[in-house]
Amino acid sequence: MNEEPITAQRIAGWDIQVEGSDAVLAWAAEELRRHLERARPGEGPAGVLTLRSGTGVADGFSASVGERTVTLAGDSPRGTLNAVYWLLEQLGFAWVEPGEVGVSFLPGAALAPGSYREEPSFAARTLILGQDALHDDWPAWMEWASRNRFNDLFFHDTPPSRMDRGGAPRPARDAELAADGGGWMFERWRSDGQAIVAEAARRGLTLQFGGHHLPGLVPRELFAEHPESFPLRGGGRDPRYNLCPTSAGALAQAEKAAAAFVARFPGASVYHLWPDDIRGGGWCECAGCEGMSPSDQALLATNAVAAAVGRAAPGARVAHLAYHDTVRPPVRVEPRENLALLWAPRERCYAHSIDDASCTKNAKEYWAPFLGLLAHFGNDRTRVQVFEYYSDAILFKGMAPAHLAVLPKDARAYASAGAGNLQDLMVGNRPWVGPPWHAWWTARCAWNADADADVALEHFCAAAFPGAAGDMAAVYRAEEAAYGQLLDLHDLEGIARHDVLDFSDRPRTTLGLKAREALKAAEMLTGARDSLRAIQGASPVGRERIGRERAQLEVVAAFAGHLAARTAAWDAGLAGDLARSRSFLDRAEEELTAIDVWDREWTKPAYAVIRENMARARRYHTAELRRRFGDGVHG
């Protein structure tokens, strides 16, 4: 006789038995009880839900489902917690945004009796909270990350926090925060660090901590007495950047400060003490460093830091950042055993997967160096972390690409190559006022690199926008098509003082193509925004979220419109069509005003530093074009 499938209603009243006293197992049982309370118990025989775990470090799991028994067995306690969330998902639960308001339950889902087994594509799956606004809400983001089967949380500060503010309180107003210009993650850890470590342990999460803090280990005030500790550049010592990695004094100071850093911020499994966040320089030209690439210099300095961290926090690792001018493998320096590779391909093309052979930029400038770095780190999967930018609104100019196609292709490429950790950076100049699809989708692909975008999107939209799933999936697909136009970098070269999407005029013909594509993308995003007004049939929860999604697309369309108009003005001005250039500049300035209006309604002071820095850059680039083409002078 066939056994009946189980539903949330059927098992809501079952006995939950925990085999073992592990705190993560206890939390798994509590999460199971808490969620099943949302389902009204139905009539039927009583049963037993059993939670058990192995003692390994992997977090896969097995599930045995019967008509009156369900046994969830994790490879580790964290694996059992993953099994709980898997079971809840099969029975209609989803977590579409942080906080209890983001918990969705759609009755009616059923799970057939049988044996199930799941193992993640990446042993470590990291959500990166990349700025003060997200650190402020860490409890909600930690819970959301854990429920979506991230198993690692990275506290990263953009911009870098100051090593010592002397106990000064964090300002409450936008202008004061922007004037200070630094992050406040150190102060957040001072107040909440013990709670963060404890709550992470309860969920079986590991922690990472830090950012661009290598220069802070060697205080700039030492320059007067020890100029040799700082890079030689253009014939003179320069205190602005990094350090001289062959200076014994500089390395001794960095080691001492790194040990103090770990003592000050205990509890992380990986520490990040990266070089300066600049492209094309910051390293030393002295006799000792002569002939050493930026990658070798960075690794030499990071090795010294790792030695100190190894003594101060045995078992912890330090990240070597492959980023900007350090993406290519070192040649002369080997990594210490407690170093992990952190691969951060920020200037890559997001219209194509990282290993797409048809995309010259990705294939030659990024994928080939990545494979070389894997070999340099011994092809040790446990040491290879991929720091990706899927939720980075700085890189994407305030926008939020869906990454429907690129993300699973990236995940398959990275997993096949030998990466053990896939990370998603969340950072930006504005809040995510709608459900963060991009981060939710990253979680799915990090767990299962073969995830199906269509299936995942339908599931997400059904949970996030009840009653309007099909219409909202169509909106996301329209956004995907728009970003496909915008994000293709073709053969465009980078340009000084410009970010990745501040397109250059080299080659000149490609700029014209990019201007046309950007205008088309802006038109498509505006159409996606307008289509939200016509969606009907959503539940009250769905209507509320659609309203926020519409607000989000308002500013996304403005960001896209500004970038497109500015790019088109550049192209038209170079072609000598000054009237057309000025018309596009007028449109660009109108979009700047729309962005400012949106910010006043939605953006909290915690975003002030990044928001102002990005706004300043937008105003600067637009004003430069106005100065060049707005006065009738062409050349």
Side-chain angles (χ1 to χ4, degrees):
M1 184 175 180
N2 292 332
E3 293 182 294
E4 289 293 323
I6 64 168
T7 65
Q9 290 83 356
R10 275 196 60 204
I11 69 171
W14 285 13
D15 183 35
I16 298 175
Q17 297 183 359
V18 179
E19 296 183 358
S21 58
D22 186 271
V24 179
L25 284 179
W27 183 254
E30 177 62 25
E31 281 285 81
L32 191 53
R33 291 188 189 97
R34 182 183 296 118
H35 282 80
L36 290 178
E37 286 174 357
R38 293 174 178 257
R40 179 179 299 174
E43 295 182 2
V48 177
L49 292 158
T50 302
L51 307 183
R52 64 167 66 112
S53 81
T55 58
V57 296
D59 65 348
F61 60 85
S62 299
S64 177
V65 178
E67 192 170 9
R68 299 189 185 184
T69 62
V70 173
T71 300
L72 303 178
D75 298 342
S76 63
R78 174 67 218 188
T80 307
L81 183 56
N82 288 337
V84 164
Y85 294 133
W86 168 85
L87 176 65
L88 291 170
E89 284 185 299
Q90 306 312 304
L91 301 181
F93 287 91
W95 306 276
V96 296
E97 58 185 329
E100 288 305 303
V101 297
V103 180
S104 171
F105 174 56
L106 299 178
L111 179 63
S115 297
Y116 299 87
R117 173 70 189 172
E118 291 207 8
E119 296 179 3
S121 296
F122 294 87
R125 305 165 304 278
T126 304
L127 183 66
I128 307 167
L129 304 183
Q131 65 190 108
D132 291 333
L134 300 174
H135 303 154
D136 292 346
D137 295 332
W138 70 262
W141 280 112
M142 178 182 285
E143 195 74 278
W144 182 88
S146 177
R147 288 170 171 172
N148 283 295
R149 284 187 261 174
F150 285 110
N151 62 2
D152 184 66
L153 203 62
F154 179 177
F155 283 76
H156 164 41
D157 48 349
T158 308
S161 300
R162 303 196 188 286
M163 285 292 182
D164 185 9
R165 283 192 169 96
R170 175 173 153 182
R173 297 192 304 172
D174 294 49
E176 294 170 337
L177 283 164
D180 177 89
W184 293 82
M185 185 176 73
F186 292 175
E187 288 78 8
R188 173 60 59 193
W189 199 269
R190 183 178 63 200
S191 64
D192 293 8
Q194 288 186 342
I196 290 169
V197 171
E199 291 302 317
R202 188 208 300 260
R203 293 162 178 80
L205 300 174
T206 51
L207 295 169
Q208 303 192 42
F209 186 87
H212 292 280
H213 297 300
L214 178 66
L217 301 181
V218 183
R220 307 296 101 170
E221 294 78 12
L222 295 177
F223 180 73
E225 188 173 352
H226 295 288
E228 73 282 357
S229 293
F230 298 87
L232 181 73
R233 298 180 57 77
R237 296 286 176 175
D238 191 334
R240 291 177 295 172
Y241 309 119
N242 295 318
L243 48 75
C244 172
T246 60
S247 164
L251 294 183
Q253 171 61 37
E255 289 189 36
K256 178 182 176 181
F261 188 94
V262 171
R264 181 179 175 186
F265 307 115
S269 62
V270 180
Y271 286 93
H272 299 265
L273 294 157
W274 307 333
D276 274 310
D277 188 3
I278 58 174
R279 282 198 282 174
W283 292 106
C284 190
E285 301 166 352
C286 75
C289 296
E290 187 177 5
M292 294 180 66
S293 69
S295 298
D296 281 299
Q297 292 196 40
L299 184 54
L300 187 61
T302 307
N303 270 341
V305 169
V309 171
R311 293 188 295 269
R317 281 179 165 167
V318 174
H320 165 68
L321 180 64
Y323 171 72
H324 287 341
D325 54 358
T326 63
V327 295
R328 297 200 171 276
V331 175
R332 295 169 53 177
V333 181
E334 295 295 322
R336 288 181 57 89
E337 284 299 316
N338 67 328
L339 241 65
L341 169 66
L342 188 69
W343 168 251
R346 190 175 186 277
E347 287 81 29
R348 60 167 284 195
C349 175
Y350 281 92
H352 302 92
S353 63
I354 189 67
D355 66 336
D356 190 334
S358 71
C359 177
T360 301
K361 177 173 285 292
N362 285 354
K364 293 185 177 180
E365 297 181 28
Y366 290 97
W367 189 242
F370 175 65
L371 297 179
L373 280 161
L374 288 179
H376 201 75
F377 278 75
N379 292 306
D380 182 347
R381 186 178 292 270
T382 69
R383 300 175 71 186
V384 181
Q385 301 191 107
V386 173
F387 183 106
E388 268 291 2
Y389 295 83
Y390 305 121
S391 300
D392 180 359
I394 298 177
L395 171 61
F396 297 118
K397 301 292 189 186
M399 293 176 277
H403 304 299
L404 290 174
V406 161
L407 221 162
K409 291 178 182 178
D410 278 359
R412 288 191 290 272
Y414 284 130
S416 297
N421 174 226
L422 182 61
Q423 307 186 2
D424 180 31
L425 173 63
M426 292 193 70
V427 67
N429 55 321
R430 64 174 184 85
W432 308 116
V433 297
W437 155 262
H438 34 80
W440 188 93
W441 181 218
T442 304
R444 294 302 172 285
C445 293
W447 181 264
N448 177 14
D450 293 320
D452 185 293
D454 289 330
V455 171
L457 184 62
E458 295 294 339
H459 173 68
F460 177 84
C461 289
F465 310 102
D471 289 333
M472 286 304 302
V475 172
Y476 280 106
R477 291 190 179 100
E479 292 182 56
E480 171 84 347
Y483 287 119
Q485 293 282 319
L486 183 65
L487 298 181
D488 195 335
L489 299 179
H490 301 292
D491 57 346
L492 284 169
E493 300 175 19
I495 186 171
R497 300 188 69 181
H498 286 57
D499 205 349
V500 181
L501 298 185
D502 294 320
F503 309 114
S504 78
D505 62 344
R506 300 191 301 268
R508 173 69 187 88
T509 54
T510 308
L511 175 63
L513 170 62
K514 194 69 255 174
R516 294 190 294 276
E517 289 179 336
L519 289 169
K520 180 63 175 177
E523 178 186 349
M524 294 168 74
L525 287 169
T526 299
R529 176 201 68 190
D530 293 343
S531 70
L532 289 170
R533 299 192 179 98
I535 294 177
Q536 298 179 356
S539 69
V541 170
R543 286 195 295 274
E544 191 274 334
R545 289 200 182 112
I546 289 170
R548 284 190 281 121
E549 197 66 32
R550 186 164 58 243
Q552 179 152 263
L553 271 173
E554 289 283 352
V555 77
V556 163
F559 282 125
H562 169 261
L563 178 59
R566 199 181 81 205
T567 304
W570 176 235
D571 178 56
L574 290 178
D577 191 342
L578 298 188
R580 182 172 168 81
S581 179
R582 292 169 193 152
S583 176
F584 278 124
L585 285 171
D586 289 343
R587 285 173 55 181
E589 288 162 355
E590 290 172 1
E591 300 290 11
L592 288 178
T593 299
I595 293 167
D596 289 341
V597 171
W598 192 93
D599 275 338
R600 285 194 290 272
E601 179 177 359
W602 290 98
T603 306
K604 300 183 295 186
Y607 292 91
V609 177
I610 298 175
R611 185 186 69 235
E612 180 52 35
N613 286 342
M614 290 181 66
R616 186 183 303 115
R618 287 193 301 272
R619 291 191 295 265
Y620 168 80
H621 292 309
T622 307
E624 283 293 298
L625 292 177
R626 180 67 77 180
R627 281 190 288 271
R628 181 164 184 179
F629 301 122
D631 58 1
V633 177
H634 173 56

